[in-house]
Amino acid sequence: MTSDDPVRRGGREAQRRRTRKAIVDAAVRLSAAGATPSIDEIAAAADVSRRTVYAYFPSLDHLLIDATAGALNEPPVEEALNNPALAGDPAGRVDALIRTLLKYSPQSLPLGRRLIRLTVDPPASDAPEPTGPRRGPRRIEWLEQACEPLRDTLSEESYQRLISALTIVVGWEAQIALRDVRGLDPQAEEEAITWAARALVEAAIREHEADSPQADGPPHTRRH
């Protein structure tokens, strides 16, 4: 097994997510007291080094905005995605995710605009360049959870492509484009995002069905 083996890559990514979550959770706990914690205080509470915190967040402002957005969105999103009525319905689960995120967008979108600006701008000269993505995995985790019914149906390549495509249309960036460029009101914005996300899910399912062996004809070659 080489260092490029998918199992090892997956293990490293899981560890990165756990470390990042520990840092964010520490920031949320310390901020709940009403005072703004320092990087050193957050690092100590998360049981990591100051350098590790900066490896994930180029500034304290970046970390605190991310933590605030997570504390706002995570409980209702988890409740929506754990609805047993949607257990086997990936399109319905993605719809529920979108509706929940948009419901809280009056509070979260201003945070999103600030966070996007912070991740687009280069880090401070004394902070190390963040490793991996500049933004956290929260959106990816929610999309993966929503699309879980398709995990064993689609090929790994198709599944990952679907998650990547949904990342484009579900999130603050899509909202900003629809509001600032298209000038849509909240209802039209939700309709556009929901339509685009459902189209992507249904396209992935149709592609899988077209590539699957047919009972009344020669088997199709499945893409991998």
Side-chain angles (χ1 to χ4, degrees), residues 2-67:
T2 69
S3 60
D4 292 329
D5 187 277
V7 174
R8 290 196 178 184
R9 290 201 304 272
R12 289 196 299 269
E13 181 60 27
Q15 180 58 51
R16 281 182 50 79
R17 290 187 180 189
R18 287 192 294 270
T19 301
R20 192 182 195 284
K21 187 176 188 305
I23 295 169
V24 172
D25 288 349
V28 171
R29 290 196 306 272
L30 293 172
S31 298
T36 301
S38 68
I39 288 290
D40 288 335
E41 290 171 332
I42 294 170
D47 196 24
V48 299
S49 69
R50 176 187 177 93
R51 182 175 181 81
T52 297
V53 175
Y54 277 121
Y56 290 86
F57 300 95
S59 69
L60 177 60
D61 197 22
H62 182 172
L63 170 52
L64 295 179
I65 292 172
D66 186 280

Side-chain angles (χ1 to χ4, degrees), residues 97-112:
L97 172 61
I98 293 168
R99 287 195 303 271
T100 303
L101 291 174
L102 293 182
K103 179 180 178 180
Y104 289 88
S105 67
Q107 297 80 32
S108 67
L109 185 56
L111 296 173

Side-chain angles (χ1 to χ4, degrees), residues 91-148:
R93 291 164 66 86
V94 172
D95 286 353
L97 172 61
I98 293 168
R99 287 195 303 271
T100 303
L101 291 174
L102 293 182
K103 179 180 178 180
Y104 289 88
S105 67
Q107 297 80 32
S108 67
L109 185 56
L111 296 173
R113 289 181 181 272
R114 292 172 60 192
L115 192 56
I116 289 170
R117 184 171 65 251
L118 287 171
T119 54
V120 168
D121 292 341
S125 57
D126 60 341
E129 183 73 17
T131 58
R134 288 178 174 268
R135 297 265 293 282
R138 191 178 294 120
R139 187 190 321 185
I140 301 301
E141 291 172 346
W142 288 339
L143 289 171
E144 289 177 344
Q145 189 175 349
C147 294
E148 182 62 28

